[in-house]
Amino acid sequence: AQSVTQPDIHITVSEGASLELRCNYSYGATPYLFWYVQSPGQGLQLLLKYFSGDTLVQGIKGFEAEFKRSQSSFNLRKPSVHWSDAAEYFCAVGYSTLTFGKGTMLLVSP
Amino acid sequence: AAGVIQSPRHLIKEKRETATLKCYPIPRHDTVYWYQQGPGQDPQFLISFYEKMQSDKGSIPDRFSAQQFSDYHSELNMSSLELGDSALYFCASSFGIQAPGELFFGEGSRLTVL
């Protein structure tokens, strides 16, 4: 069975600092991996996805993620965080139906 | 651009009542997915439809049923509501079931059961 682990429930980052959100997955075949962002009371917005090819994928809003098969990881990064990035971030694995991690709440301090 | 439309956005029901949520996919999308997100939880897949046929089934309770209509909109019917059904219900749509990850989510319908 596929599963996703996001070990950090909350992360606080200073505005302008770099960000890395961790994601580890378990999947029986070649994984399809995604990062979604959810603002309070809002829907899920796709930030980026990995299917195959280049292991470093670029997404919207300046985010990127790196797929590391040896570590079963797909960590999300951003070089400089903005206050508007404060939200909950979900890593997901799957094909058409997705299995989500528990989410990481990002707080941005001034 | 048109997005996934869900209605109602908010719904309050009593225990043992029934509720119906509607989802209107992006035009030309033929696949619809339903997810349930409890308070502080991750979204859990309930059920999906492709070309009006059920394509996959997740952790959907027997008290719930869903269908996709000829215009591709979908309805999630929930009966004998329980307090634990209080959640945000997301609908997502995609074009074709062979399109991994190209899911577009609606803003959700928040169901509160009192």
Side-chain angles (χ1 to χ4, degrees):
Chain A
Q2 57 200 44
S3 65
V4 178
T5 302
Q6 294 180 246
D8 303 305
I9 299 174
H10 296 98
I11 279 187
T12 300
V13 175
S14 298
E15 189 168 17
S18 63
L19 168 71
E20 182 168 30
L21 302 182
R22 296 183 291 167
C23 172
N24 293 96
Y25 67 89
S26 172
Y27 195 72
T30 302
Y32 297 92
L33 296 157
F34 315 89
W35 275 100
Y36 284 86
V37 60
Q38 183 180 30
S39 297
Q42 300 298 310
L44 295 158
Q45 182 181 23
L46 179 66
L47 285 176
L48 46 78
K49 60 194 176 195
Y50 171 79
F51 296 156
S52 64
D54 193 347
T55 56
L56 184 64
V57 294
Q58 302 297 321
I60 62 172
K61 303 184 179 185
F63 285 92
E64 66 178 27
E66 186 171 13
F67 169 60
K68 293 185 177 180
R69 185 185 298 274
S70 62
Q71 299 177 18
S72 297
S73 69
F74 188 58
N75 295 347
L76 181 71
R77 300 194 295 246
K78 186 171 184 178
S80 178
V81 168
H82 188 261
W83 63 267
S84 60
D85 293 324
E88 188 151 27
Y89 292 79
F90 290 94
C91 181
V93 64
Y95 190 71
S96 54
T97 58
L98 302 179
T99 297
F100 288 84
K102 296 296 183 186
T104 298
M105 180 66 72
L106 172 65
L107 306 173
V108 180
S109 61
Chain B
V4 176
I5 305 298
Q6 293 188 244
S7 69
R9 292 293 311 279
H10 300 272
L11 188 61
I12 299 175
K13 290 286 186 178
E14 301 275 345
K15 282 196 309 185
R16 292 178 288 278
E17 286 190 321
T18 62
T20 297
L21 306 181
K22 297 184 179 182
C23 170
Y24 297 87
I26 290 172
R28 296 192 300 117
H29 280 192
D30 52 14
T31 308
V32 169
Y33 309 80
W34 286 98
Y35 285 80
Q36 177 192 55
Q37 185 180 28
Q41 301 296 313
D42 55 299
Q44 295 287 322
F45 171 67
L46 292 179
I47 195 167
S48 62
F49 293 87
Y50 169 64
E51 283 291 344
K52 292 152 282 184
M53 299 288 290
Q54 181 181 309
S55 55
D56 201 355
K57 191 173 181 180
S59 52
I60 185 169
D62 291 341
R63 298 176 289 106
F64 292 9
S65 64
Q67 58 182 321
Q68 186 179 32
F69 295 85
S70 57
D71 63 350
Y72 296 106
H73 94 273
S74 177
E75 295 184 6
L76 178 66
N77 299 292
M78 301 174 281
S79 62
S80 302
L81 287 170
E82 302 174 355
L83 296 179
D85 296 328
S86 295
L88 191 57
Y89 290 83
F90 286 111
C91 173
S93 74
S94 69
F95 178 67
I97 205 163
Q98 300 298 322
E102 295 288 354
L103 300 185
F104 294 83
F105 283 83
E107 296 201 335
S109 293
R110 184 170 297 282
L111 170 66
T112 302
V113 181
L114 302 177

